Structures are given as structure tokens and as C-alpha cells.
Amino acid sequence: MATIANAFGIENALEKLGVNEINKGTSTGSNWFSEGEMISSHSPVDGKLIGKVTTTSREDYEKVIKTAQTTYKEWRKVPAPQRGEIVRQFGNKLRELKEPLGQLVSYEMGKSLQEGYGEVQEMIDICDFAVGLSRQLNGQTIPSERPGHVMREQWHPIGIVGIISAFNFPVAVWAWNTALAWICGDVCVWKGSEKAPLCSVACQNIIAAVLKENNLPEGISSIINGDYKVGEMMTTDHRVPLVSATGSTRMGRIVGATVAERFGKSLLELGGNNAIIITPTADLKVVVPGAVFGAVGTAGQRCTSTRRLIIHESVYNKVRDAIVGAYGQIVIGNPLDETKHMGPLIDKDAVNAYLAAIEKAKAEGGTVLVEGGVLDGEGFESGCYVKPAIIEAKNHFEIVQHETFAPILYLMKYSGDVENAIDMQNGVAQGLSSAIMTNEMKEAEKFLSFSGSDCGIANVNIGTSGAEIGGAFGGEKETGGGRESGSDAWKVYMRRQTNTVNYSDELPLAQGIKFDL
């Protein structure tokens, strides 16, 4: 194991999480996976090999799905509050293992240690939310137009929920789905990112221990490992009625079309191209940390990362200078060191995409305010560390319209009323997160109105990044339209059923139709 890993206790963390040098599957808590190809997980922090995971063959996949089918028939019979009790215990296990799991997230994915801990806290929070929700899966009673009749609406489990998650949140997004799906009575099959496979193994080990302690079948939670070909096994499988997929818009188009073709349901959480509007009355003490964290947190690899600052011309120079000055204080390096603000990109493919985007922005006429580039030398041996860049640009630039998963921030001006800024904010294909910085109530309300931001998330005087689990998370347009986490997002994991009960001695028909025999 690497020196960095030793210094920051990663070996000890892996031991606590049951993650070995060679992980032969743990598809459902058992070593079911055949002796096949291996995925090697290298840390972007130092380039060192962390461990390997066996990929899922078609034969392995069939075993997982058949176990999930059998388990579902029993799990759905367990009363919802009792299912909530299992989620409560899972949340408590996460509390006990927050430190080692957060360290693994940071080391395998590259985000700062504080963000790694924060991701595990999101898992704990959604478990708490789901426990309360397990006693509130309410339907409703509906007045009937017919005498002696009552109508009701109730919700039933949907079955097997397939989850495809991305590398940037290698554990939290899975938990958003599973915690809700489990209390709804569903079972889950998870394909984590092949770029962070050990995180999924660790999570599976944690829930497998909870299930074993409660004498419950392991098929309530399963994992499958591999690239997009393994994901295709789920998206084309009619036995999986719901596929929740997080990733790029390109991936979402394929998943959505494939699942729809077989009349399945999909929950899509795709790309973002998020902007902060900065008005003349904005408070720089709020603007600067909100914009900078949004742009460089997780090295710009959040779907909610801030990509664009739309600044009123009257304050443009002041805001620009403040943001550029703040970038000079960003410390880049080993994310396990809590004095560092920004760690590496996930891999060298991401680095190449970052460099290409900068060159594209220059070619389109952008002016570089803060130079980017790849860092090398001591501490940067992995080749995945880059400098955050700021570029003056126009909203219509092709590269600005495109989401680049990297710390590149585009600055642009608007003039006139806030409606002009809102038009710019909305003038991209994605619709995930948005924000406005203003102390003018009218501007804030216009931004939040039906004619304001077209995003699924719209914030006032906070940045675009860092959503709480209590609200539904997701976006519109090419972001996919899905909703996860809080509010009534639980309904996607269930099927709706309308019941009509006749307790009279007659059989009147709806709409006054007569059918006399």
C-alpha cells in the first residue's frame, strides 16, 4: 500500500470495512462471482493500486436476479415499520464506520476528506429520513360519485430496483435509492462505478452484516460489478421494473430509451450546467465562498458544480477580482490532508477532457483569467491533479453549453434587468441546479417564479452545490427529470393502485350509465 495510504490510515480503514486486496464478488454477501476478469482500482490520490474486484458474468447476474426475485416475495410481506427498523440499524452501522468509509471514499475517488465524511453523513441522513417515512407511506380516500361506494388510493412495492451510480458520489447516491426502496418493500441490485468499485464492496459488507444479524435473506441488497455491459444486463431486463441511473446525459439517453422500450420505469439523474446569477445588491461575503466551493469542490466533479457566473455589468469587475483573488488561496493536494481544498480528478481521461475544454474555450474567444494546467512533482505523481481555471466567456460558446466535469469556471456579464440574467441561466440544455445572489426581494421572487429558473433546484443566496436530503433532488431538460432523496421521491419506488369498494346492495355505474338486464 502507498505511503500516503499508510500515513492516513487507509489500510486500517479497509480492514474495518472488510475490503481485501482481492475481492471475489460479495454479490449478495456471498462469494458467488465466478473466477473471471478483475477490475483494478487505482487511487487518483497517488496512483497506487488499492484492490481488485471480480466482474459479474451473465451467469453471476442470473444468480443475483433470481435471488432478488425470491427475496422480494418475502421482504414485501414485512410491515413497513419493521423494514424501517432494518434501515435504522444500517444507519447506526454507518455512524460507527463513518470515519473509515469516508476515508475510502476520499482515497478511491479523490474528493477531500471532509467531503468524504459528508457523503457518509448523507447516507446516515437518508436512513433517518427513511425510518420516519416507513410509517407514512400513505394513500388517500377519494369521494365517489356513486352512493354506497368509496374510492381509495394505495401504494405497493414495485419489485427489484436496479441502481447505476457514478464515481463522483460512490456511496451516497446508492443510499438515497436503497434506503427509500427498502422501506417501500423493494429489493435492490446495485452496479456501482467501475472507477470506485471498492466503495460498493464496502457498503455491501455493511448491509450484509445487518441482514445477517436480523436473520434476513441477503438478496435484499446485491451488487454487480463491471462496465456499461453489466449495466445493460439490468436495463434490458424486464424483471427489473425500475432502473435508477446517475451519470452523463449521453448515458441517460441510452438507459431511458432502453428501459422505456420494455415499458419499464427509469429515474434519471444526469448532467448539470449550473449558474449563479450575481446582481448589483449581492453580498460578496456570500458570493465568494458560495461560488468558489461550487466551482472547485470535488474538483468540479459534482453534477451540481458551479460552471457559470452570470454577473451584472455594474459589479462585474469587483466580483471578478474577488473570485480571482480567492482562487489564489486554494490549496491543492492530497485530499486526505484536511488542509487541502481540492484533490485530483478521477483519472487521466478526465484530465484530458479538462485540457481539451480549456483549449476549446480559448479557440472560441474566451479570455483566461486564471490559468489551468496539470500539476506534477512531489505529491502529484498520479498525474490527476489540475489547477482550477477561470475563463471569461460568452453563454453561447459551444464549450460553455457543454458540461465539463472539471474545475473550469466561466464568467460572463449581463446588463439590464434580472430577467436577462435568468434567460442566460436557462439558455443551456441542462436544468439541474441554479442560484441567485441578491438582497433585492423582487429579484429573488422573479428567479423563483414560474417564469424564473427552469432548474429542479433554485437557491437564493447560497451556491448551486450542497443539497440537503429533505428536499427532492433532481432536474429538468437534459438532466433527466428524475427526483431522489426527500419530499415525495419515495413514490417512484412504488406502484400506485386505485381501489373502488361497493358496500351497497346496488350496482350503479359511473357517469350515470344504465345497463339493465
Side-chain angles (χ1 to χ4, degrees), residues 239-394:
R239 296 168 296 181
V240 183
L242 172 64
V243 175
S244 175
T246 302
S248 68
T249 296
R250 181 194 60 80
M251 178 274 288
R253 283 196 176 96
I254 297 171
V255 171
T258 302
V259 175
E261 188 175 18
R262 62 177 176 83
F263 296 105
K265 295 171 64 178
S266 58
L267 192 170
L268 301 177
E269 294 287 357
L270 311 175
N273 194 345
N274 316 295
I276 300 177
I277 296 171
I278 302 172
T279 72
T281 64
D283 186 345
L284 277 183
K285 295 192 300 293
V286 176
V287 168
V288 173
V292 174
F293 174 74
V296 307
T298 322
Q301 296 173 114
R302 293 186 176 210
C303 52
T304 56
S305 290
T306 304
R307 310 288 178 200
R308 298 174 292 146
L309 294 188
I310 302 170
I311 308 167
H312 193 272
E313 60 183 0
S314 66
V315 294
Y316 181 84
N317 291 345
K318 180 173 67 173
V319 173
R320 178 200 60 200
D321 293 347
I323 298 293
V324 169
Y327 267 51
Q329 302 175 47
I330 295 171
V331 183
I332 305 167
N334 171 20
L336 294 165
D337 180 347
E338 296 188 60
T339 66
K340 304 296 190 293
H341 297 113
M342 194 181 97
L345 292 176
I346 186 64
D347 56 25
K348 290 183 180 178
D349 287 341
V351 172
N352 291 334
Y354 154 86
L355 293 172
I358 292 175
E359 291 307 310
K360 175 70 171 174
K362 290 179 182 178
E364 290 192 70
T367 301
V368 176
L369 299 178
V370 175
E371 288 281 353
V374 182
L375 295 168
D376 55 20
E378 185 177 356
F380 304 122
E381 290 86 355
S382 70
C384 296
Y385 291 86
V386 301
K387 294 183 284 187
I390 300 178
I391 302 173
E392 286 185 320
K394 301 293 185 182

Side-chain angles (χ1 to χ4, degrees), residues 35-108:
E35 296 290 341
E37 296 181 3
M38 305 292 290
I39 299 173
S40 296
S41 178
H42 291 84
S43 171
V45 175
D46 54 12
K48 302 297 183 180
L49 177 68
I50 313 172
K52 298 182 179 181
V53 178
T54 311
T55 58
T56 303
S57 67
R58 170 59 71 174
E59 181 182 3
D60 299 330
Y61 175 79
E62 286 298 321
K63 290 179 181 179
V64 169
I65 292 298
K66 288 177 180 178
T67 298
Q69 285 182 302
T70 300
T71 301
Y72 169 61
K73 293 177 181 178
E74 298 304 315
W75 180 239
R76 66 186 179 183
K77 296 177 185 177
V78 176
Q82 292 183 29
R83 299 193 295 256
E85 167 59 18
I86 301 304
V87 174
R88 186 191 68 81
Q89 293 180 32
F90 177 57
N92 284 343
K93 287 284 189 183
L94 291 172
R95 286 180 170 88
E96 295 172 11
L97 295 169
K98 179 177 177 178
E99 183 173 347
L101 185 55
Q103 289 172 336
L104 174 58
V105 168
S106 179
Y107 187 57
E108 188 172 32

Side-chain angles (χ1 to χ4, degrees), residues 417-438:
D417 295 334
V418 73
E419 286 91 342
N420 296 329
I422 294 172
D423 287 343
M424 292 174 65
Q425 136 69 38
N426 294 342
V428 293
Q430 308 83 359
L432 179 53
S433 188
S434 59
I436 187 170
M437 300 290 187
T438 181

